[in-house]
Amino acid sequence: MRIAPRTVLQIVLILAYPVGVHLGTLLKSEHWYFAAMVLLCAGVLLRPLLNRDKYAWAIFIFFSTLASATFYANAVFYLIALPPILLPLFILFVFAQSLLPGREPLVTAIGEASRGPLTQAMRNYTHKVTLCWTLLLSYFVLSALIFTISAPQWVWSLMVNGFNHLLVGVFFVGEFVYRKHKFPEHNHPGFIEYIKIVFTSNPIREKSGD
């Protein structure tokens, strides 16, 4: 299954943030910081921006202006230090809320919305996967806070823009391979289709069960 061009573009724009920030740190150039911040904002808001949503465009213009102001004030680092804390914190909130009593775990909800009803064994497994993502996201938030406050800037960048993203990739791929091995009888999607399911799902909607 092919991934839609806008999904590919969204992935590229979001991944441009850690790349741009790390290059800016290595080259000691805040121009890279500024570009990374604008590209991240565009990636997060890409779908509503392409749909000409006026609120999305207002948010994009606001953050682009804020990035410009901090760039000219030589304070853009304080702005680029926020996404590695705030984005995992927001996703952590979505995952953690779905684990509360009476809620459906997020990974379970996404799986059933895309593949139909899951077996009880698969539901138990996806509950554990949701919990693992919650713990991993908690680590990302705490580590980003600690490295921002106490580490040299190059160490901060190496960890939050390098190691943490590598950890996400390893866990994402590893869980996919392990699930196919653990449940060989289940009708698993291909890896490309799996990526599409994850990136096109609406976590807020799946969490609430609407």
Side-chain angles (χ1 to χ4, degrees):
M1 178 179 290
R2 295 179 58 190
I3 302 179
R6 68 167 55 187
T7 301
V8 174
L9 178 59
Q10 186 171 35
I11 295 172
V12 170
L13 289 173
I14 292 174
L15 291 180
Y17 173 81
V19 174
V21 170
H22 196 58
L23 282 174
T25 301
L26 294 177
L27 300 175
K28 301 185 184 302
S29 172
E30 293 195 346
H31 290 85
W32 284 99
Y33 290 165
F34 171 77
M37 198 69 204
V38 174
L39 290 174
L40 175 65
C41 186
V44 172
L45 298 172
L46 182 63
R47 295 175 187 276
L49 288 176
L50 293 178
N51 292 331
R52 300 181 180 180
D53 184 286
K54 61 181 180 181
Y55 297 107
W57 275 101
I59 294 172
F60 178 73
I61 292 171
F62 170 78
F63 276 103
S64 297
T65 303
L66 182 61
S68 300
T70 55
F71 172 75
Y72 285 109
N74 294 318
V76 71
F77 174 76
Y78 299 103
L79 186 62
I80 60 130
L82 292 178
I85 299 172
L86 297 183
L87 288 180
L89 183 62
F90 170 73
I91 303 172
L92 168 62
F93 174 79
V94 174
F95 272 86
Q97 285 279 5
S98 74
L99 290 171
L100 293 175
R103 303 286 184 90
E104 188 167 47
L106 181 59
V107 178
T108 306
I110 293 176
E112 293 205 326
S114 61
R115 310 297 296 179
L118 302 177
T119 64
Q120 186 57 48
M122 182 61 80
R123 288 181 62 85
N124 293 339
Y125 173 77
T126 52
H127 180 279
K128 293 177 182 178
V129 174
T130 304
L131 177 60
C132 287
W133 275 113
T134 302
L135 296 174
L136 188 61
L137 287 161
S138 299
Y139 158 75
F140 290 153
V141 173
L142 290 175
S143 64
L145 278 170
I146 292 171
F147 285 117
T148 300
I149 294 171
S150 60
Q153 196 165 323
W154 69 270
V155 175
W156 164 84
S157 182
L158 184 64
M159 294 301 297
V160 303
N161 296 307
F163 178 77
N164 286 0
H165 286 81
L166 179 63
L167 196 57
V168 169
V170 170
F171 184 83
F172 187 82
V173 175
E175 188 278 317
F176 175 79
V177 173
Y178 176 76
R179 176 161 29 90
K180 292 188 70 173
H181 174 76
K182 183 176 177 63
F183 300 98
E185 74 286 353
H186 188 72
N187 181 25
H188 298 282
F191 188 68
I192 298 299
E193 183 181 357
Y194 180 53
I195 293 176
K196 181 177 180 181
I197 289 171
V198 172
F199 273 88
T200 58
S201 63
N202 185 328
I204 303 299
R205 185 185 66 232
E206 307 297 355
K207 175 178 72 69
S208 62
D210 294 339

